[in-house]
Amino acid sequence: MAPAADPSGRSGSAADDWRRQRTEAAAHQQRELDRQRARESSAARALLADFVARARERGLAPEPLRARSFDGSTTYRTPLTGWYLRRNRSVAVGEDGEFYVLSVPGSVLGRLRGVSVEPSDPPLVLGKGGRDGESIDLADALSLVLDGA
């Protein structure tokens, strides 16, 4: 009986070596992507911290933040206050300087008690990968809020 061949046409230990190399390459690529995301989040956190300080200096009052159900039909109270970064109120920066994605699963109990939203790693581009015209650099979004647009 012949050894099983892998998709590359190799057999036996050559196939095992190929699979091991591909697994190592994929793991290396994932580590690099994670490092890049961490660098971007770190830079975005610095922008958010600067924004909060400047907003306070300018007397820009934070407002209660509301989360929206995934289908967009219902809003929920949250214990958070801060500034919305998009007109559709889907993301915000809290007074604590954290970045929040304000989407939650629908919940009857949430309508009564409110919901909690956990902070997320902030991106440098809001809406990245979305449709044309839906993405904006975080720095530009923060400037628009500071300038009252």
Side-chain angles (χ1 to χ4, degrees):
M1 182 169 179
D6 74 355
S8 67
R10 296 175 181 86
S11 62
S13 68
D16 292 339
D17 289 345
W18 181 84
R19 276 192 287 276
R20 190 184 77 258
Q21 289 172 351
R22 297 308 325 138
T23 299
E24 289 171 5
H28 173 74
Q29 185 175 17
Q30 185 61 51
R31 284 190 303 273
E32 289 302 313
L33 287 170
D34 291 344
R35 275 195 274 279
Q36 177 65 26
R37 259 189 232 112
R39 281 191 298 272
E40 287 183 9
S41 282
S42 178
R45 284 182 198 287
L47 290 172
L48 294 176
D50 181 60
F51 166 82
V52 170
R54 291 173 60 196
R56 287 184 177 140
E57 286 171 6
R58 292 184 185 193
L60 247 142
E63 61 183 291
L65 299 177
R66 295 185 63 86
R68 187 171 295 278
S69 61
F70 291 146
D71 68 5
S73 65
T74 309
T75 60
Y76 302 93
R77 286 176 287 115
T78 73
L80 304 169
T81 56
W83 300 269
Y84 292 104
L85 299 180
R86 299 197 63 151
R87 289 185 186 192
N88 67 4
R89 298 178 165 231
S90 59
V91 294
V93 58
E95 281 188 283
D96 58 1
E98 294 285 353
F99 178 78
Y100 295 94
V101 176
L102 299 170
S103 296
V104 296
S107 161
V108 173
L109 197 55
R111 290 192 64 146
L112 298 172
R113 294 185 179 170
V115 296
S116 62
V117 181
E118 296 299 317
S120 299
D121 287 334
L124 283 175
V125 178
L126 300 177
K128 186 176 184 177
R131 294 182 297 207
D132 285 346
E134 289 189 354
S135 64
I136 183 171
D137 287 339
L138 178 61
D140 294 339
L142 295 171
S143 291
L144 287 171
V145 174
L146 284 173
D147 296 339

